[in-house]
Amino acid sequence: MERRIPKKGDIYRHFKGRKYRILHLAVCTETGEDMVVFESVSAPGKVYASFLEAFLSPLDSARHPHADQKYRFELCRDEKDSLTAGLKRRGNTTSLILEFLELAENEERIRFLQRHQAEIDGRFLAAAAQSLEFTENKETVEERYAALLRFLKTKAKYEGGRLRRE
């Protein structure tokens, strides 16, 4: 039986008991394998990534005989609706991150950052930088925001020009 692919906003329980919210599905730049990007429900802010195959894999019952789950991560159907509804609240960092990750074009990302500048915090900037493979090296939120914006503007300028010439 094939397992359901996680969706953004789903809550999954790890076999050790912690719950995680799916932020996004991604592709590994090294191997091309599908990945799951998720964060802890109880301690939001730290973002994790796992290969989709490993995320959905069965639990080794010989290594973990006391686990009460069949798989490493299992969908929490009872909590999904109430928790994802909370994500949609205005001003919620997680909601901003999810919206930003959905954007495909650098110009859209620039407009988004400018539109939501007052709501952006360090957690958002860390997730946005990671999603763009941008290495942060500034200290304050304001400096980090400005550096990310410059990065996106440069990327938009040079990628846009390159695509037009081809």
Side-chain angles (χ1 to χ4, degrees):
M1 178 180 103
E2 190 159 320
R3 295 195 57 206
R4 173 187 175 277
I5 302 297
K7 293 181 182 162
K8 181 172 62 172
D10 284 349
I11 305 295
Y12 276 77
R13 180 184 303 104
H14 187 263
F15 74 94
K16 292 183 180 177
R18 290 189 187 236
K19 294 179 184 171
Y20 297 90
R21 177 178 296 110
I22 305 301
L23 297 177
H24 204 63
L25 296 180
V27 177
C28 178
T29 59
E30 302 287 321
T31 65
E33 292 179 74
D34 291 327
M35 298 188 79
V36 180
V37 181
F38 54 99
E39 73 175 345
S40 171
V41 170
S42 61
K46 192 155 186 182
V47 177
Y48 303 90
S50 176
F51 288 109
L52 178 63
E53 186 176 328
F55 188 88
L56 296 175
S57 68
L59 190 60
D60 183 350
S61 57
R63 287 184 62 199
H64 307 286
H66 302 295
D68 61 352
Q69 290 186 191
K70 182 177 178 181
Y71 297 98
R72 289 185 64 221
F73 288 90
E74 291 186 359
L75 181 64
C76 297
R77 296 184 188 279
D78 56 331
E79 298 178 42
K80 180 183 177 261
D81 295 333
S82 62
L83 289 170
T84 53
L87 289 177
K88 303 299 180 194
R89 287 194 316 266
R90 198 82 179 119
N92 184 308
T93 300
T94 302
S95 179
L96 285 176
I97 292 168
L98 295 174
E99 286 180 54
F100 185 81
L101 291 174
E102 288 294 312
L103 303 174
E105 301 294 325
N106 290 319
E107 289 83 6
E108 292 176 301
R109 294 176 181 129
I110 291 165
R111 286 191 298 274
F112 181 90
L113 289 176
Q114 292 169 334
R115 191 171 53 248
H116 296 284
Q117 183 176 3
E119 303 166 71
I120 290 174
D121 61 10
R123 187 170 151 244
F124 172 88
L125 290 169
Q130 185 177 9
S131 75
L132 297 167
E133 296 181 1
F134 171 67
T135 303
E136 292 185 291
N137 59 5
K138 302 294 182 190
E139 297 293 322
T140 68
V141 170
E142 292 79 14
E143 291 171 329
R144 291 168 62 199
Y145 170 83
L148 183 63
L149 198 56
R150 277 193 307 277
F151 171 77
L152 281 170
K153 286 179 178 179
T154 302
K155 206 171 165 186
K157 177 181 176 182
Y158 289 104
E159 286 180 356
R162 186 182 71 218
L163 293 174
R164 283 186 220 112
R165 284 194 299 263
E166 292 178 352

